[in-house]
Amino acid sequence: MNRLTEHLIIISFDCLSALDFPILQDLPHFQNILSQGALVKNVETIYPSVTYPCHATIVTGNYPIRHGVVNNTLLQPGRKSPDWHWFRDSIRGTTLYDEVKKAGMTTAALLWPITGKANIDYNMPEIFANRPWQNQIFVSLRSGTPRFQWKLHKRFGHMRNGLSQPELDHFALEAAVDTILSKKPNLLMVHFTDLDSQRHYHGFGSDEAIAAIHRHDIRLGRIIHALKDTGIYENSTIVVLGDHSALDENKAIQLNYLFHKQNLFTVNTKGKIVSWKAYCHSCDGSAYIYLKNPDDTATYKTIKNLLFSLLENTDSGIEQVLTGDQAAKKGADGTCAFMVEAKRGYYFSEDFQKAFIKTVTAEEAILNKKYTLATHGYSPKKENYGTIFMAAGKGIKPGTLPSIRLTDEGPTFARLLGVSLGDTDGTVINELLDLSSYSLEEII
Ligand SMILES: [Zn+2]
């Protein structure tokens, strides 16, 4: 298969929404992409629509049930800060970066989720030190490309302030520009989370979120400049995408509070869960209910009765209850006993203290960051909840499409670089591609 471009630069602006389009079209660098490239006004995300499952979908073309990353975090009841799906081995099957590297091209990934210990030439994975004895630099170096990351850390590390935004994205941008200039990779994937963070702590349409979109425009401009400076711009394709949108909320549904009351888990004197029969594993806008023993029919019945009685109660915040089989049909984890969807204005917390419904104040969201004011994870069928996609440059046919699915992005990226992800849930969107560089033999 011929490739349609030499360099594919994929920029993930976490939580960029279809609703952001009116702002984007007035910003100079987004406008630059839009004026010469392709736009998909609405991209249907996946279920549960949280960052890690979404990013695994983008690089595999598959729904979570197939690629295996069914939530951001691992199921670890009792851990104060659960581990995330940081490592490549959480993903089943092949990925865009694996296929691109196999074809002899150079790959780079910067703070892209689930790339820990992946076979990527220049890799700075998204991972954080999650144990008191761990050091952030050491954890990052060990999970990615050590020399490459050490150089970035020495040059730009002073810009970081732990995981806080916008500093982390300032650092990610310098890393992206430096990687383009010094490595000229065939595939570069970079993940920015400034907008997602601002939306979580200040609200979907807050001034802080709008300011983050403006910062993203400047970041996009710097990346375009770097491609021009290094002389590869004419042979490059720039993709700008979001993974999901977000919805405002101010009520946290704490199902584990009810499970605790019904003795479905045991807590020690320090308040730590030490054994459990059932647990609500939050995906924010939705949640999985897992049974420790899937054959425990008594617990299953207890949970089922509880969930369906909550569904009847309009103040419970629960919009829908799915069985494991029904969750699987939507592409989510079919090994759960149930999956629940929150109404607008609500989301799920794993907390089990104080109350079933916890009302979140702005102070709590901003100061202690334990609760949020807008979040993701909801069903992709929720109204006005799509994300957006735009691309420009080599191999892209200018125009506007009304919609695609998140699963279609990976196969389309693979086609641009002349590789294939095999049989996937998504398909190549040929309407986005300029296939005029096809050789005659391929057409025949
Ligand atoms: Zn995200």
Side-chain angles (χ1 to χ4, degrees), residues 177-232:
V177 166
D178 191 74
T179 303
I180 290 169
L181 295 177
S182 62
K183 310 297 181 196
K184 300 185 182 67
N186 297 105
L187 172 66
L188 170 66
M189 310 186 303
V190 54
H191 176 224
F192 293 101
T193 55
D194 190 0
L195 176 62
D196 185 67
S197 295
Q198 307 303 339
R199 288 201 150 138
H200 274 311
Y201 300 118
H202 301 279
F204 182 87
S206 60
D207 291 347
E208 289 84 354
I210 308 303
I213 296 176
H214 284 249
R215 287 193 289 271
H216 278 347
D217 185 65
I218 293 166
R219 291 173 183 131
L220 177 58
R222 286 279 315 280
I223 289 173
I224 294 171
H225 263 279
L227 292 168
K228 287 181 177 170
D229 284 349
T230 194
I232 62 172

Side-chain angles (χ1 to χ4, degrees), residues 363-380:
E363 290 72 34
E364 279 169 319
I366 294 164
L367 292 179
N368 71 17
K369 300 200 167 165
K370 193 175 166 195
Y371 295 95
T372 59
L373 290 178
T375 202
H376 39 55
Y378 297 97
S379 162

Side-chain angles (χ1 to χ4, degrees), residues 144-340:
T145 321
R147 267 173 63 86
F148 167 71
Q149 290 185 92
W150 181 244
K151 281 186 182 166
L152 292 175
H153 169 69
K154 273 205 305 196
R155 289 192 62 192
F156 309 114
H158 65 276
M159 305 180 83
R160 281 187 70 161
N161 174 18
L163 301 175
S164 111
Q165 289 290 8
E167 294 90 340
L168 185 59
D169 277 9
H170 295 338
F171 170 70
L173 174 67
E174 296 310 326
V177 166
D178 191 74
T179 303
I180 290 169
L181 295 177
S182 62
K183 310 297 181 196
K184 300 185 182 67
N186 297 105
L187 172 66
L188 170 66
M189 310 186 303
V190 54
H191 176 224
F192 293 101
T193 55
D194 190 0
L195 176 62
D196 185 67
S197 295
Q198 307 303 339
R199 288 201 150 138
H200 274 311
Y201 300 118
H202 301 279
F204 182 87
S206 60
D207 291 347
E208 289 84 354
I210 308 303
I213 296 176
H214 284 249
R215 287 193 289 271
H216 278 347
D217 185 65
I218 293 166
R219 291 173 183 131
L220 177 58
R222 286 279 315 280
I223 289 173
I224 294 171
H225 263 279
L227 292 168
K228 287 181 177 170
D229 284 349
T230 194
I232 62 172
Y233 180 73
E234 300 302 326
N235 290 317
S236 297
T237 313
I238 302 168
V239 167
V240 174
L241 57 85
D243 52 347
H244 49 70
S245 183
L247 297 173
D248 285 326
E249 35 71 9
N250 69 347
K251 288 189 183 71
I253 306 167
Q254 305 191 146
L255 277 173
N256 286 331
Y257 174 82
L258 301 181
F259 292 179
H260 185 214
K261 288 213 139 188
Q262 300 215 16
N263 296 318
L264 295 175
F265 53 79
T266 319
V267 175
N268 69 12
T269 48
K270 289 180 181 163
K272 185 182 167 174
I273 296 173
V274 286
S275 70
W276 59 283
K277 289 181 182 170
Y279 189 75
C280 171
H281 191 202
S282 168
C283 325
D284 296 327
S286 57
Y288 294 116
I289 316 298
Y290 290 104
L291 299 188
K292 176 84 175 174
N293 172 8
D295 300 324
D296 179 354
T297 48
T299 303
Y300 184 90
K301 271 187 198 158
T302 306
I303 300 279
K304 187 178 176 184
N305 291 339
L306 174 67
L307 293 179
F308 281 94
S309 71
L310 290 171
L311 192 59
E312 300 286 299
N313 174 358
T314 50
D315 297 329
S316 74
I318 294 176
E319 184 171 282
Q320 196 177 26
V321 178
L322 302 173
T323 62
D325 287 344
Q326 288 168 330
K329 284 203 180 94
K330 291 185 179 285
D333 185 9
T335 71
C336 67
F338 296 98
M339 188 172 182
V340 283

Side-chain angles (χ1 to χ4, degrees), residues 381-425:
K381 302 297 178 193
K382 275 266 202 299
E383 220 177 302
N384 285 326
Y385 185 61
T387 178
I388 192 166
F389 174 98
M390 58 189 87
K394 200 92 194 292
I396 296 296
K397 187 161 80 183
T400 302
L401 293 183
S403 67
I404 62 170
R405 297 165 303 166
L406 201 68
T407 49
D408 299 328
E409 293 182 349
T412 307
F413 298 150
R415 179 64 197 89
L416 275 161
L417 284 171
V419 298
S420 167
L421 298 178
D423 168 37
T424 50
D425 293 330

